Amino acid sequence: MSFENELNGRDSNDDAETEHFFKIICAFQSYRKFSMSTINKRLNYLATMPEEQQNAFRNYTEMLNEVKRCIELNSRILRLISQDLGKMFENAQHKWERSMTELRNKMTSEDIDKVQITLKQFYRDWSREGAVERDQAYRPIIEAIEAYFPENACHREDVKVLVPGAGLGRLAFEIAMRGFTCQGNEFSFFMLFAANFVLNRCSGTYMHTVYPWVLQTDNNMTSTNQITGVTFPDCNPSDLFTKHGVSRYTMVAGDFLEVYDTESEWDCVATCFFIDCANNVYTFIEQIYKILKPGGIWVNLGPLQYHFSTSLSEDSLEPSYEVIKDIIRSIGFEMKKEETGIKTTYSQNPSSMLKHYYECVFFVCVKPSDINIDSQT
């Protein structure tokens, strides 16, 4: 499927963007070294203990060695993901101009944490085990879109649906599978690289296994909880292209606010765990209103875990849902459906002793169809 690069609206040869692109490739390639070092540190600590204690920890030591095996297997998947990424964007010609050694030296634990988060997304979006989470978060959105655009009342291929914050692309994939023309938008290259791998390089089912929880050392009831693998994809991504053709589903890289600026272009915008990614949520809501056609709908499900609320370097506003509803109405939306308290999890180890869940809000808003398009600017 097509991946288009419009990251920040910059030319693909921009030095800063090129370095960022290859730095993330280096993060994927550095996962093994960083992860193994954390396990070896524990094994070295065990080696300093008295023999009696080492014997008591014998099963734990065996588990740590199994963790190393799982890390090795994860790193093989990451190497596959990072192969040929220079060809990922049809409109970009990325070149290995910078020293990869220099970029690897810039790796931080935060970079590796993002790689681990990406591995967990395979569980959420493309594994059989993650179906429960997808049902919680994606099903209400899909059902709302299908209800608003029933097959007997429209040609779904003419209905354009945008999914900002698409992650590994499963929600957009499911929407496209139902006959709609759908585009996913994602800012994170971590997610884009993995989405490209699933959608373009997995032509069957249950082809690969990852270990999403292998670095999750806390709250494990049994040792096997940490080293449990999931196999992906649970459906064949190429079925979409066989059924509907390659043009039905595209992915675009870039900042939502900068990439999508054309008025009245989309019939539907579907957001899932997205609006709280904004520094100023008003700008997201205003942009969604702008790009929707009159009569178009915005379908949203998610919490309000504002991504920049604890940042010392970023400005951020964190209004309550009550305030957000006022903003939605003030911009011009009509709220047609609303539910609160929808319990969902997010990339959560189902066997962990500690579980987090969100009580999400779900709503469907309509942009009035009787507005004067020329007066929107």
Side-chain angles (χ1 to χ4, degrees):
M1 69 168 283
S2 172
F3 276 71
E4 301 172 23
N5 180 21
E6 298 184 25
L7 187 66
N8 290 336
R10 296 194 301 263
D11 185 278
S12 62
N13 291 321
D14 180 270
D15 286 345
E17 181 186 331
T18 302
E19 178 171 344
H20 177 69
F21 183 91
F22 288 114
K23 183 180 179 184
I24 295 175
I25 294 176
C26 285
F28 277 67
Q29 295 174 347
S30 300
Y31 165 86
R32 181 186 180 279
K33 177 181 178 181
F34 271 72
S35 301
M36 287 294 190
S37 67
T38 64
I39 306 306
N40 287 331
K41 181 179 179 181
R42 291 176 173 84
L43 289 170
N44 291 336
Y45 180 36
L46 282 165
T48 66
M49 293 179 176
E51 184 177 352
E52 181 181 3
Q53 292 187 19
Q54 291 189 42
N55 289 334
F57 278 112
R58 183 170 57 252
N59 290 339
Y60 177 67
T61 302
E62 292 176 358
M63 189 277 295
L64 289 179
N65 285 315
E66 185 65 16
V67 166
K68 292 177 69 173
R69 185 186 71 86
C70 295
I71 289 171
E72 185 66 53
L73 294 173
N74 277 350
S75 70
R76 293 180 188 177
I77 297 296
L78 294 171
R79 285 198 295 272
L80 288 175
I81 292 172
S82 59
Q83 284 178 357
D84 299 323
L85 281 174
K87 302 175 183 177
M88 176 177 170
F89 297 108
E90 294 177 356
N91 63 340
Q93 295 295 323
H94 290 282
K95 298 179 181 179
W96 294 82
E97 295 177 349
R98 295 199 176 255
S99 166
M100 295 301 290
T101 301
E102 178 185 345
L103 291 174
R104 287 190 185 95
N105 291 335
K106 295 181 179 180
M107 290 296 102
T108 65
S109 58
E110 288 78 12
D111 295 318
I112 306 306
D113 287 342
K114 291 177 181 177
V115 175
Q116 187 63 30
I117 290 170
T118 304
L119 290 172
K120 291 179 181 179
Q121 284 293 118
F122 284 111
Y123 159 80
R124 176 176 172 84
D125 262 15
W126 292 100
S127 78
R128 179 176 55 196
E129 293 83 354
V132 173
E133 283 197 356
R134 294 196 299 274
D135 188 63
Q136 294 168 344
Y138 298 166
R139 179 178 52 80
I141 294 174
I142 295 169
E143 289 180 349
I145 295 172
E146 289 194 293
Y148 197 79
F149 301 102
E151 282 187 299
N152 61 358
C154 67
H155 297 290
R156 285 186 171 175
E157 66 271 17
D158 296 328
V159 177
K160 295 178 60 179
V161 181
L162 175 65
V163 181
L168 265 59
R170 184 60 180 264
L171 175 58
F173 172 86
E174 293 294 342
I175 293 170
M177 280 292 288
R178 285 155 176 82
F180 300 98
T181 296
C182 190
Q183 184 167 99
N185 164 238
E186 178 56 52
F187 182 79
S188 168
F189 271 136
F190 288 96
M191 296 298 170
L192 285 163
F193 290 170
N196 175 64
F197 178 72
V198 173
L199 294 167
N200 284 331
R201 298 175 61 191
C202 292
S203 57
T205 58
Y206 305 111
M207 299 176 64
H208 305 285
T209 301
V210 295
Y211 299 85
W213 329 114
V214 69
L215 298 183
Q216 184 174 308
T217 58
D218 299 331
N219 295 301
N220 291 307
M221 181 64 71
T222 70
S223 296
T224 56
N225 294 155
Q226 187 173 348
I227 54 178
T228 298
V230 298
T231 307
F232 72 93
D234 65 319
C235 66
N236 188 344
S238 64
D239 286 347
L240 170 63
F241 314 122
T242 301
K243 183 177 181 181
H244 295 295
V246 296
S247 63
R248 191 60 59 85
Y249 180 20
T250 55
M251 287 279 284
V252 171
D255 186 301
F256 167 68
L257 293 175
E258 298 185 8
V259 173
Y260 298 95
D261 195 42
T262 302
E263 293 185 15
S264 305
E265 181 179 6
W266 299 91
D267 298 285
C268 174
V269 176
T271 53
C272 185
F273 281 72
F274 175 70
I275 61 173
D276 51 5
C277 297
N279 301 75
N280 177 0
V281 68
Y282 187 103
T283 60
F284 272 15
I285 300 171
E286 183 180 47
Q287 196 82 337
I288 291 169
Y289 186 86
K290 176 182 179 180
I291 66 177
L292 275 174
K293 297 176 183 178
I297 62 168
W298 171 29
V299 186
N300 175 79
L301 187 145
L304 292 175
Q305 184 170 313
Y306 290 103
H307 287 210
F308 300 103
S309 61
T310 59
S311 174
L312 299 178
S313 59
E314 296 267 3
D315 292 326
S316 178
L317 301 175
E318 301 87 23
S320 68
Y321 178 57
E322 181 182 36
V323 173
I324 285 179
K325 286 198 293 183
D326 290 337
I327 293 171
I328 289 171
R329 295 188 180 101
S330 71
I331 286 174
F333 276 114
E334 296 176 359
M335 188 171 285
K336 296 297 186 180
K337 184 176 182 179
E338 177 188 20
E339 294 181 38
T340 59
I342 297 177
K343 290 187 177 181
T344 65
T345 54
Y346 197 99
S347 297
Q348 180 168 266
N349 185 346
S351 301
S352 175
M353 296 165 65
L354 176 64
K355 291 181 171 61
H356 296 281
Y357 68 87
Y358 300 94
E359 292 193 348
C360 292
V361 297
F362 169 72
F363 56 75
V364 179
C365 293
V366 176
K367 179 176 180 177
S369 58
D370 57 351
I371 62 172
N372 185 342
I373 297 177
D374 293 335
S375 66
Q376 289 183 62
T377 304

